[in-house]
Amino acid sequence: MGRYEQQILPRILNKTCDDRQLEPLRRRVCAGLAGDVVEIGFGSGLNVPFYPAAVTRVAAVEPSDLSWRLARDRVSAARVPVQRAGLDGQRLPFEDGSHDAALSTWTLCTIPDVAAALGEVRRVLKPGGELHFLEHGLAPDENVRRWQRRLEPLQRRLVGGCHLTRQIADLLTAAGFTVTGIDVFYETGALKALGADSLGVAVAPPGAG
Ligand SMILES: C[S@@+](CC[C@H](N)C(=O)[O-])C[C@H]1O[C@@H](n2cnc3c(N)ncnc32)[C@H](O)[C@@H]1O
C-alpha cells in the first residue's frame, strides 16, 4: 500500500462514511445481531453505536492501522468489548464455527478475493449463523450498469480497489449462504452508480464449518 492508501484514504472514508443519512441503514443492518460477532472491514468503527445489546463481543477485522486508530473513541464508548482480531477478511484467524454472527458494510466491494473472504466468513460462523450485509454493487437497471462499467476503473484507483459491479446476492449464494432477506435500493443522495445497495441477511448452511 502506498501513502495515499495508508494515510489519506482512511481519513476520507472516515468522513464520507460518517454520514447521518446512512445511520438508519446501519441501524437496520445491525438489528438482530447477537452473541460473538465478527465484523469484516471494520473501518473506523462507524457501526459500533448500532450494535444491539444482545451482542456480547465483536472481533474487528481491518487491515488499516489508521482506520483502527480513527475508531478509538467509538471503540472506547462501545457497550460491548471490541477487539481488533484480524487484518484480512480473506484469511480469518479464528476457529471453524467460532462465531454466532458476522457483519459486513460497504466492504465486499473492496476485498480483492471476495469469494475467499465469504468462504472464510462461512467457515468461522456456527452452522446457521447469520451474515448481516449492507453492500453496494451492480445496479438493477441496465442504464446505471453501463455507467458502473465505465466508472469502475477510476473508482478502483481512487477508492482502494473498490468495485462497482459485484453481484452481491450471487456472491453470497456461490459461497454457500442462503439469502433469507434482501432489499435492493439506491442510496438517497448518492449517485446511482455508486449507491446501488443490497441490505440483508445471509445464513450459513446447517453443518457448515
Ligand atoms: C468503504 S470502507 C467501509 C468501512 C466500514 N465497514 C463502514 O461501513 O464504514 C471498506 C473497508 O474495507 C477494508 N478492507 C479492505 N480490504 C480488506 C480486507 N482484505 N479484509 C478486510 N477489510 C478490508 C478497508 O480498509 C476499509 O476500512
Side-chain angles (χ1 to χ4, degrees), residues 30-176:
C30 289
L33 288 170
D36 279 3
V37 174
V38 54
E39 178 171 356
I40 60 165
F42 180 81
S44 55
L46 291 164
N47 291 321
V48 171
F50 304 101
Y51 295 153
V55 171
T56 47
R57 191 166 53 162
V58 174
V61 176
E62 173 53 51
S64 163
D65 292 340
L66 176 55
S67 292
W68 178 248
R69 287 206 301 279
L70 291 169
R72 190 182 50 197
D73 289 352
R74 295 181 189 102
V75 169
S76 309
R79 285 170 296 189
V80 299
V82 180
Q83 282 192 326
R84 191 182 185 193
L87 299 175
D88 184 357
Q90 297 160 124
R91 276 173 299 150
L92 295 177
F94 311 125
E95 301 284 317
D96 295 359
S98 51
H99 289 74
D100 298 293
L103 175 64
S104 176
T105 62
W106 294 295
T107 290
L108 298 180
C109 52
T110 300
I111 296 180
D113 188 345
V114 65
L118 288 173
E120 279 291 87
V121 172
R122 174 183 158 174
R123 180 183 67 76
V124 304
L125 278 176
K126 292 179 180 163
E130 291 183 349
L131 164 60
H132 291 219
F133 59 90
L134 168 54
E135 301 288 344
H136 72 86
L138 191 68
D141 301 302
E142 184 50 40
N143 60 327
V144 182
R145 290 180 177 189
R146 275 198 294 276
W147 276 105
Q148 290 183 312
R149 290 187 202 103
R150 280 182 207 139
L151 290 172
E152 187 162 75
L154 182 64
Q155 175 82 359
R156 287 179 67 179
R157 286 189 62 176
L158 292 179
V159 194
C162 172
H163 295 70
L164 296 176
T165 59
R166 287 190 168 165
Q167 307 218 35
I168 301 305
D170 289 357
L171 287 166
L172 291 163
T173 305

